[in-house]
């Protein structure tokens, strides 16, 4: 298995981000994201499409493919915005789980679980990496986000 790329603090010093918690959250985030992509495609094309023979709603997974490269490259910014994007899919899952029946309701419940797993993984990953980077990285991050 390839090792993750090194992470550096704002001062350029390497950060020890190889702890099992950081690795675990990274792979949980990637697995959850891939799970959402596969579930969305299978749901709308084969398992329970809105129309017989498949549905164009399968394109809803396209936005989920964009952050995959960033998560695989361990980019902190990607973890942050994915944790916001995932709530759109969470909302769809909750609505469909409560308004549909049968297979669609179960698939929607699975979507909700994958969304929660992705959000928790992203939030914990960011928190652990910032804690590992120390106060210097947090201060630099606050200063960077305060720029106009």
């Amino acid at each position: 298995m390839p090792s993750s790329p090194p992470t550096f603090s704002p001062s350029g010093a390497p950060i020890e981000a190889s702890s099992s918690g950081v690795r675990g959250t990274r792979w949980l985030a990637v697995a959850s994201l891939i799970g959402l992509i596969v579930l969305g495609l299978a749901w709308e094309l084969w398992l329970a499409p809105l129309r017989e023979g498949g549905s164009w709603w399968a394109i809803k997974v396209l936005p989920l493919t964009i952050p995959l490269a960033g998560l695989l490259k361990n980019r902190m910014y990607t973890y942050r915005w994915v944790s916001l994007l995932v709530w759109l899919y969470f909302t769809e899952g909750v609505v469909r789980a409560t308004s549909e029946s049968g297979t669609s309701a179960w698939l929607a419940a699975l979507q909700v679980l994958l969304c929660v797993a992705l959000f928790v993984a992203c939030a914990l990953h960011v928190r652990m990496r910032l804690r590992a980077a120390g106060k210097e990285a947090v201060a630099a991050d606050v200063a960077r986000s305060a720029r106009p």
Side-chain angles (χ1 to χ4, degrees), residues 35-51:
L36 280 171
I37 293 168
V38 170
L39 175 67
L41 288 174
W43 183 357
E44 298 300 346
L45 294 176
W46 303 289
L47 299 176
L50 291 174
R51 290 182 179 75

Side-chain angles (χ1 to χ4, degrees), residues 25 28-29 32 83 86-87 113-128:
T25 57
L28 177 59
S32 300
S83 69
V86 72
W87 291 111
L113 289 175
L114 287 169
C115 287
V116 169
L118 179 56
F119 175 78
V120 168
C122 287
L124 287 175
H125 186 85
V126 168
R127 183 176 183 170
M128 284 185 219

Side-chain angles (χ1 to χ4, degrees), residues 60-98:
K60 71 182 179 187
V61 302
L62 285 178
L64 292 174
T65 62
I66 296 167
L68 189 55
L71 292 184
L72 290 171
K73 291 179 182 177
N74 211 18
R75 293 189 175 146
M76 179 80 84
Y77 184 73
T78 305
Y79 285 92
R80 289 178 174 173
W81 69 262
V82 166
S83 69
L84 299 174
L85 173 71
V86 72
W87 291 111
L88 296 171
Y89 295 90
F90 174 85
T91 304
E92 181 209 13
V94 169
V95 168
R96 290 183 77 174
T98 57

